[in-house]
Amino acid sequence: MTDYSVINILDLLDLYGENRVNAVLSGFSCPKNREIENFLLKNAVEFSKRKMSITHLVLDDHQQFIGYFTLTHKSSLIPVDKLSKTGQKKLAMHGRFDEASNCYDVSAFLVAQFGKNYSVQNGTAISGNHLMEYVFRTLFKAQQLIGGGVVFLECEEKDKLLDFYQNDNNRFKLYGERFSEREQKKYLQLLRFF
């Protein structure tokens, strides 16, 4: 397995400045999901500077920018009836049960953005499973510093995305959905314990 470098965008901003970082980001292309591309180009730097979420760039051994992920933490209500008994027991360790809503209120890590750079041409592209491994390596470090044990994400209702997030490597479980009025789009909500 090739070993890649993961660099916090704030470290890059400190070293090289915003203009140079934006030049690097401008080489990112994700034709499969323009939302991932647009976030990186329009919001990643500002959100990171404001500490709303932190973007991490993944580089290959030639220092090519091959992917990224953005992490934050967020409170979420997770309905009890969407979880197995085992899932309920695990969630009880990390959240507070709210009887009125029949949900667990949990502060969890959120994988806010996740994408591969399709403009890389030399064959060093990273697999989605490998990129997710680096997400969890980063989250493990955060967990060691501040605690936590639940990770969630939202994705569009597409079979390929659901298959990817729920495969044996990634092990996310579907627990709900959310409709975005602004985007007029439904998002599926998935979680994983670690």
Side-chain angles (χ1 to χ4, degrees):
M1 172 170 73
T2 304
D3 204 28
Y4 300 102
S5 301
V6 176
I7 301 174
N8 184 317
I9 199 170
L10 292 174
D11 293 336
L12 287 177
L13 289 166
D14 286 345
L15 284 171
Y16 301 112
E18 195 166 333
N19 288 339
R20 191 156 170 207
V21 169
N22 282 326
V24 169
L25 300 182
S26 70
F28 184 86
S29 174
C30 186
K32 292 185 175 192
N33 188 333
R34 293 294 181 196
E35 183 180 320
I36 291 168
E37 187 175 319
N38 289 337
F39 174 85
L40 184 69
L41 300 176
K42 296 178 182 175
N43 300 105
V45 168
E46 187 63 27
F47 281 26
S48 292
K49 286 175 15 184
R50 293 171 57 193
K51 309 296 190 294
M52 294 170 56
S53 60
I54 303 296
T55 295
H56 302 265
L57 307 186
V58 181
L59 308 176
D60 69 8
D61 55 353
H62 301 290
Q63 299 302 298
Q64 290 188 101
F65 173 31
I66 58 173
Y68 86 96
F69 54 89
T70 301
L71 304 172
T72 191
H73 51 88
K74 184 177 179 181
S75 180
S76 184
L77 291 175
I78 302 174
V80 170
D81 61 350
K82 300 290 183 181
L83 300 170
S84 67
K85 293 290 184 195
T86 302
Q88 290 177 34
K89 286 179 185 176
K90 286 181 180 178
L91 202 55
M93 293 172 30
H94 301 287
R96 182 184 58 81
F97 182 68
D98 178 55
E99 287 185 37
S101 64
N102 201 36
C103 294
Y104 280 98
D105 186 2
V106 62
S107 180
F109 297 109
L110 170 65
V111 181
Q113 297 290 330
F114 179 86
K116 298 184 333 183
N117 189 355
Y118 287 88
S119 70
V120 176
Q121 299 296 320
N122 75 351
T124 61
I126 190 169
S127 73
N129 286 332
H130 203 164
L131 185 57
M132 187 63 76
E133 179 183 324
Y134 283 90
V135 168
F136 276 91
R137 285 184 186 186
T138 303
L139 289 175
F140 181 75
K141 291 174 187 174
Q143 182 187 45
Q144 297 298 90
L145 292 171
I146 64 171
V150 179
V151 180
F152 75 100
L153 57 81
E154 295 182 336
C155 70
E156 294 180 40
E157 189 172 12
K158 294 183 178 177
D159 289 341
K160 281 188 174 186
L161 285 174
L162 287 173
D163 289 346
F164 169 71
Y165 288 124
Q166 296 180 94
N167 71 24
D168 289 341
N169 290 317
N170 300 321
R171 303 186 318 271
F172 282 88
K173 304 288 184 205
L174 185 64
Y175 76 88
E177 59 185 52
R178 176 183 68 86
F179 186 77
S180 169
E181 292 289 339
R182 184 175 59 86
E183 299 173 58
Q184 292 295 299
K185 189 185 296 186
K186 179 171 80 170
Y187 290 97
L188 299 179
Q189 299 169 310
L190 297 98
L191 67 82
R192 175 180 159 180
F193 299 99
F194 79 108

